[in-house]
Amino acid sequence: MKRALGYVLFCALVLLSGAGALAQNAIELRFLCFNDGNECAVYADLLSRFSLDNPDIIVVVEVVDAADIEAQLSAQADAGAAPDIARVADFGALAGDYLDLRSLLSDADSFAASFQAPFLQAMRAGAGDALHGFPDAAAMVAPFVNVSLFERANVSLPGAGASWDEWLAALDDVAAATEASYALAVDNKDHRLVGPAMSLGAQYFDADRNLTLADDDGLRAFLEILHALMIEGKTPADTLLGTGASQETFTRGDAVMYICGSWKVEEVAAQVGDDFDWAIVANPSGSGGRTGVAQATALVALAGTDHPAAVAQVFEHLAQPDVYAEFSARALTIPAHLGVAASAIDYGTESETIAAALNAFARETLNLQEQAITLDLHPLADVYYEASNATLRAFFSGELSLDEALTSLKARLREAAS
């Protein structure tokens, strides 16, 4: 197992005289953590302050590589040595081995109401209202837009709630009036196409909550939009065929809009520099409303803990809006906490562009459809995306008709579910 930081002791008592003696009588909790950035170091500081107010609880964090977290958790659980708390990307990896915090929290209903239900459901092994933890960060998909091109073309940015038709018209006007080569750039991979498809009415789950692509009309509509743009030369064909990168098209100023995720904000900022102004805008709307699609990480409590009440105290502390907001601000993450997402976050960056982009993504989490959360947390999500990438690439290349591509995609989902 690779370890990024070894063991870090979250205990501010060592800064106090006599702390050593007190610590001998304190409860010690283990927290298995992984970093996407600096999350574990931020948790270290937040929990050291928690220990100042709760000197009977010490939290020790073991930081492991993100790629190792689920395997390490599983191995430790099998050996009867699971940590008390863990940060996970696969919510259901150990479903059934999580601690139910509901009876241990001082206000379980308020705790649950702070997060969208599909995040909490994904941690459960079955039906019920158990609370096993909370999502600590989200990753959202929304459009990046070249604001400088809009200004140069003297075209107003469509506002929140603007439809796909309104956005496509505006993008066309900007591209026609400027040196931009393309109105829209998007890669045919992962979840970049799902949010627009859902906004145009696609339903990915059937009445029994099975991932079947039950209503493909919205996906069909968005694919027809992209295909028409490709034929007209208004979107780069190579990105839809998987041989080009839409981000490069956007960062060199050749595309008016680029659909991607919040995890690209700092990278785009570095690549664009001072070349032009850009911003994150609200997802366009359609017959299905408007939504991006979300991934998330979560903190979960493990059932094998010897100190469930202490674990619940830690979760209550970290889920407090002011503490959660500070974590988001310092780790530069998108909050999945509804109250925090609804307020402006004072992100710890000197770049006003990055801070504005992250806050724009945070606002978009409030509009997430349930299926836009459930999809990426579903056990068949990887199957869907792999099949989608292949079949839709075949559609854009002309190897399959749209009907054939969608039929193949749904058949792959049925096969995987059987």
Side-chain angles (χ1 to χ4, degrees):
M1 177 189 66
K2 298 179 180 177
R3 297 184 180 177
L5 297 177
Y7 290 96
V8 178
L9 182 62
F10 291 154
C11 182
L13 295 176
V14 298
L15 302 177
L16 307 175
S17 60
L22 289 173
Q24 292 178 2
N25 298 317
I27 291 171
E28 183 177 287
L29 302 177
R30 288 180 56 233
F31 177 7
L32 198 66
C33 186
F34 74 91
N35 281 311
D36 288 309
N38 66 335
E39 293 89 346
C40 297
V42 175
Y43 277 132
D45 185 53
L46 294 176
L47 287 168
S48 71
R49 284 152 44 192
F50 167 81
S51 289
L52 284 174
D53 295 329
N54 300 273
D56 57 335
I57 302 174
I58 297 170
V59 185
V60 178
V61 65
E62 180 182 345
V63 184
V64 301
D65 279 359
D68 294 335
I69 189 71
E70 270 79 29
Q72 187 65 17
L73 266 176
S74 181
Q76 291 187 16
D78 289 345
D84 303 278
I85 301 166
R87 185 171 194 248
V88 298
D90 184 347
F91 286 30
L94 288 179
D97 291 325
Y98 296 148
L99 173 69
D100 186 359
L101 297 165
R102 180 169 284 278
S103 65
L104 302 169
L105 297 169
S106 59
D107 191 344
D109 290 339
S110 293
F111 181 98
S114 297
F115 306 98
Q116 284 145 307
F119 286 126
L120 304 179
Q121 179 57 46
M123 302 175 199
R124 298 171 185 144
D129 63 354
L131 295 174
H132 300 303
F134 62 84
D136 70 335
M140 274 290 302
V141 172
F144 292 63
V145 168
N146 187 320
V147 175
S148 293
L149 287 176
F150 270 85
E151 293 173 346
R152 199 170 303 148
N154 198 26
V155 175
S156 298
L157 279 169
S163 69
W164 270 105
D165 287 343
E166 291 171 308
W167 265 108
L168 290 168
L171 296 176
D172 200 27
D173 288 345
V174 172
T178 65
E179 68 278 12
S181 302
Y182 304 107
L184 172 66
V186 58
D187 291 336
N188 172 34
K189 66 178 185 179
D190 296 333
H191 43 278
R192 289 150 176 82
L193 310 183
V194 171
M198 290 179 177
S199 296
L200 291 169
Q203 291 295 321
Y204 282 73
F205 296 89
D206 63 20
D208 296 320
R209 299 190 176 186
N210 298 310
L211 177 54
T212 61
L213 190 53
D215 185 339
D216 65 16
D217 283 353
L219 179 56
R220 180 184 296 272
F222 191 60
L223 294 175
E224 288 174 340
I225 288 171
L226 290 178
H227 190 262
L229 290 174
M230 183 184 74
I231 296 301
E232 295 166 4
K234 296 177 181 179
T235 193
D238 60 350
T239 65
L240 297 177
L241 298 176
T243 58
S246 56
Q247 183 168 316
E248 295 176 7
T249 306
F250 179 76
T251 57
R252 66 173 178 255
D254 281 346
V256 186
M257 176 184 279
Y258 160 53
I259 299 176
C260 196
S262 55
W263 59 92
K264 289 290 189 177
V265 163
E266 292 176 84
E267 189 175 296
V268 167
Q271 292 172 352
V272 172
D274 297 325
D275 292 348
F276 58 83
D277 294 331
W278 60 275
I280 303 303
V281 298
N283 281 290
S285 66
S287 62
R290 67 182 183 90
T291 186
V293 69
Q295 298 173 324
T297 54
L299 296 190
V300 293
L302 279 301
T305 181
D306 293 326
H307 309 289
V311 169
Q313 278 187 261
V314 171
F315 275 79
E316 281 196 312
H317 176 73
L318 294 178
Q320 291 176 14
D322 58 337
V323 178
Y324 193 112
E326 182 178 347
F327 171 77
S328 300
R330 293 172 61 185
L332 300 184
T333 54
I334 307 303
H337 187 294
L338 294 171
V340 175
S343 304
I345 298 170
D346 185 14
Y347 278 105
T349 173
E350 295 181 359
S351 170
E352 293 182 4
T353 300
I354 290 176
L358 294 174
N359 269 304
F361 271 114
R363 289 191 296 273
E364 284 301 284
T365 64
L366 302 174
N367 298 308
L368 284 167
Q369 293 181 6
E370 286 196 5
Q371 63 171 343
I373 298 172
T374 304
L375 178 57
D376 271 44
L377 298 174
H378 194 277
L380 294 183
D382 288 343
V383 172
Y384 172 79
Y385 287 132
E386 181 181 356
S388 173
N389 294 347
T391 57
L392 299 187
R393 187 158 48 244
F395 162 63
F396 288 120
S397 69
E399 297 173 33
L400 294 177
S401 69
L402 184 51
D403 284 339
E404 290 170 335
L406 293 175
T407 297
S408 175
L409 180 54
K410 289 189 268 191
R412 180 69 185 94
L413 286 174
R414 289 194 298 272
E415 176 187 339
S418 61

